[in-house]
Amino acid sequence: NYCYGTWRLPSKSIIDASSEAFNHVMFEVSPETSNIDLRKNNKDLRLFYSNKQLEEFLDYVSNKSNIKVQLCFGYYLASDTRETIFTTLHYILKLIIKYHRFVEIEYGNFSTDPGSLLFFYPEKYDMDIKVRNFNDFIKYLKEYYQEREKQPADMTLCRPKYISEEEDVEITRIVMLLNYLFDAYRKSISYILEKTLTPDVIMEILKMEQLPLTSGNQFSANQTRDIL
C-alpha cells in the first residue's frame, strides 16, 4: 500500500504507475480553498491549479479502482473572508456529491508555523497573530491542549484583522459542526446529499443557531439527530 502526499496535482503517469505498483493507493492533495484568486496568492505559482484541473484529476482517478484521494482545505488564508470560507464549504459538499465513492475531504484550521511568512510578516498580510516567540507557543499549548477539551489538531493562532472575534467564533463553530456531522452522522449526511444532489440542505444545517457548542466544546447528539 502507498500514500503519496503532494502540494501539486499528481501527473497521469504517477497515477498510472502507482495504481499498477500497489494494492491500494491514497493521494493527499491540498487545494486549501475553492477561491481561485486566494489559491493563487497563497500557493507557489509552480504548484497552482484551477478547480477545473482539480476535477479533471479526480475524474481520471475515478477510473482506478484501487486509488482514493484525500483533499485538504483550510482557513485562515491570507485575504480569507467569511464569504470565501462559506463558498469553500459549499464546494466541498459539491465534490462529495460527485466523488463520494473514493474522495475524503478535510476542512480545518491552519496553524501559524514558526518561520512561515505569516509568522514573520503578519502586517504585510493584514493578519493578527497571537504568537511572536517560543514562550507564546508554550502558553497557547497549555491553554488549548491541557485546559480545554475537543480542540482541533492545530491551534488557530492568527486571523485576518477584518474578521471580528464574533465572526471567528461563528466560522469555527460551523467548521467544527461540518466535521462533527461527517464523523458522527456520515450515513445520514451522505443520504441527504445523494437524494437532494445539492449542498444547500447541509449548508442550512451548518448555519442553524440551534446547534451551539456546549461548554465542553461539543455538540448535542440529541439536538443534532432531531434536526437531521
Side-chain angles (χ1 to χ4, degrees), residues 4-22:
Y4 183 85
T6 174
W7 294 109
R8 58 162 53 92
L9 292 178
S11 66
K12 290 181 179 179
S13 61
I14 289 178
I15 296 170
D16 291 340
S18 299
S19 179
E20 292 172 9
F22 300 97

Side-chain angles (χ1 to χ4, degrees), residues 189-202:
I189 301 304
S190 298
Y191 180 83
I192 292 171
L193 291 173
E194 180 184 356
K195 292 300 180 182
T196 62
L197 295 178
T198 173
D200 294 344
V201 175
I202 305 302

Side-chain angles (χ1 to χ4, degrees), residues 32 40 50 69 95 117 161 164 170:
E32 282 122 26
K40 188 175 293 185
S50 66
V69 177
L95 291 178
L117 292 176
K161 291 181 178 179
S164 67
E170 179 199 13

Side-chain angles (χ1 to χ4, degrees), residues 24-37:
H24 300 284
V25 180
M26 171 73 79
F27 285 112
E28 295 179 347
V29 183
S30 300
E32 282 122 26
T33 175
S34 66
N35 185 283
I36 297 303
D37 292 333

Side-chain angles (χ1 to χ4, degrees), residues 93 178 181 189 192-193 199-207:
L93 294 170
L178 176 73
L181 289 175
I189 301 304
I192 292 171
L193 291 173
D200 294 344
V201 175
I202 305 302
M203 289 299 296
E204 288 302 314
I205 292 174
L206 295 179
K207 297 175 185 177

